[in-house]
Amino acid sequence: MIEWVGDNLWVLWLSLAVVFAVVETMVLDLVFLMLAAGSAAALATALVGGEAWLQIVMFAGVSLLMLAAVRPTALRQLRKGSADQLTNVDSMPGRTVVVLEDTGSTAGLAKIDGETWTARSATGVTIPAGNEAEIDEVDGATLIIHPKAAIDWDSGTAGLPEGT
């Protein structure tokens, strides 16, 4: 049995590469992926007839090289993005919503991006349903909004919509 394993080390390297790759899909830290690459290098060495000691050296060398050189660069690329880039709720202030029901300082509904949110008027003035409003802030699951100025093209005046 031991002779077979010694003669067929490629099976061990192939198994290790697959196991490391599967573990990497669960962990997503790029460590096991680098070890899988080292196992693949040792597998290639075994398939071309390299000695067992050379296979181990290839595994260790390629794994360490990948961990030291490739992983940091790959992590930097994966984490790329501006530190001041706003996402999710942080990006909502200043955006326009459609008021679904009269919204005052205690109750109301507004719609943004197809989602209905509870809303409150920031100024205490009731914002009639159907008007557009602007988000001041997000408090939990409630939008704090103020009426958005509109242009009356017929009269040529600008200001808040009627009823506000």
Side-chain angles (χ1 to χ4, degrees), residues 18 28 52-54 61 65 90 140 143 155 159 161:
V18 169
L28 299 174
W53 67 268
L54 183 58
L65 183 65
D90 296 329
L143 302 176
S155 68

Side-chain angles (χ1 to χ4, degrees), residues 145-159:
I145 60 176
H146 67 271
K148 188 172 181 180
I151 298 174
D152 182 1
W153 294 103
D154 293 330
S155 68
T157 61

Side-chain angles (χ1 to χ4, degrees), residues 92-116:
M92 292 181 78
R95 294 188 57 199
T96 301
V97 298
V98 175
V99 179
L100 296 178
E101 67 179 35
D102 290 352
T103 300
S105 59
T106 59
L109 291 176
K111 190 174 215 170
I112 182 169
D113 294 336
E115 294 181 350
T116 302

Side-chain angles (χ1 to χ4, degrees), residues 124-146:
V125 174
T126 300
I127 306 168
N131 286 345
E132 288 186 341
E134 222 172 82
I135 301 172
D136 285 341
E137 64 179 293
V138 180
D139 183 20
T142 302
L143 302 176
I144 310 300
I145 60 176
H146 67 271

Side-chain angles (χ1 to χ4, degrees), residues 16-17 20 30-40 59 63 66-67:
L16 277 175
F20 286 144
L30 298 182
V31 171
F32 289 97
L33 185 62
M34 304 303 133
L35 295 175
S39 298
F59 169 74
S63 294
M66 296 289 284
L67 285 168

